[in-house]
Amino acid sequence: AELQANSCLFVMGSEGRGEQLLKTDQDNGLVWRNGYQPPEDLAEICARFSNALMDFGYPECPGQIMINNPLWRHDEDGFVHMIKAWLMMPDADTLISLAVFMDSHPVAGDTSLLGNVRQAIQNAIASQVAGNDAVLARFASAMDAFNTSRGWWNRLLHLNHQDPKRLNLKKAGLFPLVHGVRSMA
């Protein structure tokens, strides 16, 4: 109860945007109040939570964007510091992580905590990123994160569901569209 009162569980990515029509994987994080000391067994609590979601049929995120990964659980200042670093020193992984986080949505606990982090990030974007063409170009480049050398038409016609080269509409279609609009906004 103390953890719930001092933290916020949130979902991210397509689930955070409310796009999931079919079953999704886990994309979640945990932020807690600055100054709050989470329980010593927080790692175990988060592992049990992720395992429970798997038991309910939600597979692990292939990119490990889940609360059982310490990267996705911090206090408010920890998240703000990490995400500002992603903005200023981006690479392929941090650009995807930033894009996924941008679509975060609170689901349990004190929702104002995620709101505080998101507001701090919006302020950083407005003051440090807006108008900085180099940073904006790096951020927008995440649209190509799932690009493959085969053309989308060839992959669309490849209907074998076991073939890893088949077209993934979420990664090759929806993500670039959403991220492109986000980048332009």
Side-chain angles (χ1 to χ4, degrees), residues 58-78:
Y58 293 96
E60 286 191 341
C61 170
Q64 295 299 303
I65 300 173
M66 306 171 355
I67 64 170
N68 65 2
N69 177 350
L71 181 68
W72 292 101
R73 53 180 197 257
H74 295 282
D75 66 5
E76 295 165 284
D77 287 345

Side-chain angles (χ1 to χ4, degrees), residues 42-158:
L42 181 63
E44 292 175 34
I45 293 168
C46 292
R48 286 195 313 264
F49 179 81
S50 292
N51 289 335
L53 286 177
M54 285 188 348
D55 290 344
F56 285 127
Y58 293 96
E60 286 191 341
C61 170
Q64 295 299 303
I65 300 173
M66 306 171 355
I67 64 170
N68 65 2
N69 177 350
L71 181 68
W72 292 101
R73 53 180 197 257
H74 295 282
D75 66 5
E76 295 165 284
D77 287 345
F79 263 112
V80 170
H81 177 75
M82 178 177 69
I83 295 169
K84 282 183 178 180
W86 292 347
L87 283 167
M88 295 300 112
M89 298 173 289
D91 61 35
D93 292 333
T94 60
L95 287 172
I96 293 297
S97 296
L98 179 59
V100 169
F101 180 81
M102 297 287 282
D103 298 317
S104 57
H105 180 79
V107 293
D110 184 348
T111 62
S112 71
L113 298 172
L114 181 61
N116 295 343
V117 171
R118 290 177 56 86
Q119 187 60 55
I121 299 307
Q122 292 296 335
N123 292 345
I125 290 171
S127 66
Q128 298 172 12
V129 178
N132 185 330
D133 291 342
V135 174
L136 290 172
R138 285 193 304 261
F139 180 70
S141 72
M143 289 185 299
D144 292 330
F146 303 112
N147 196 10
T148 63
S149 60
R150 291 178 73 188
W152 68 269
W153 185 250
N154 290 329
R155 288 181 288 142
L156 180 62
L157 294 176
H158 212 94

Side-chain angles (χ1 to χ4, degrees), residues 167-185:
L167 179 64
N168 181 321
L169 290 176
K170 179 179 173 183
K171 290 182 178 180
L174 195 54
F175 178 80
L177 178 65
V178 168
H179 193 67
V181 170
R182 178 189 301 120
S183 298
M184 294 187 68

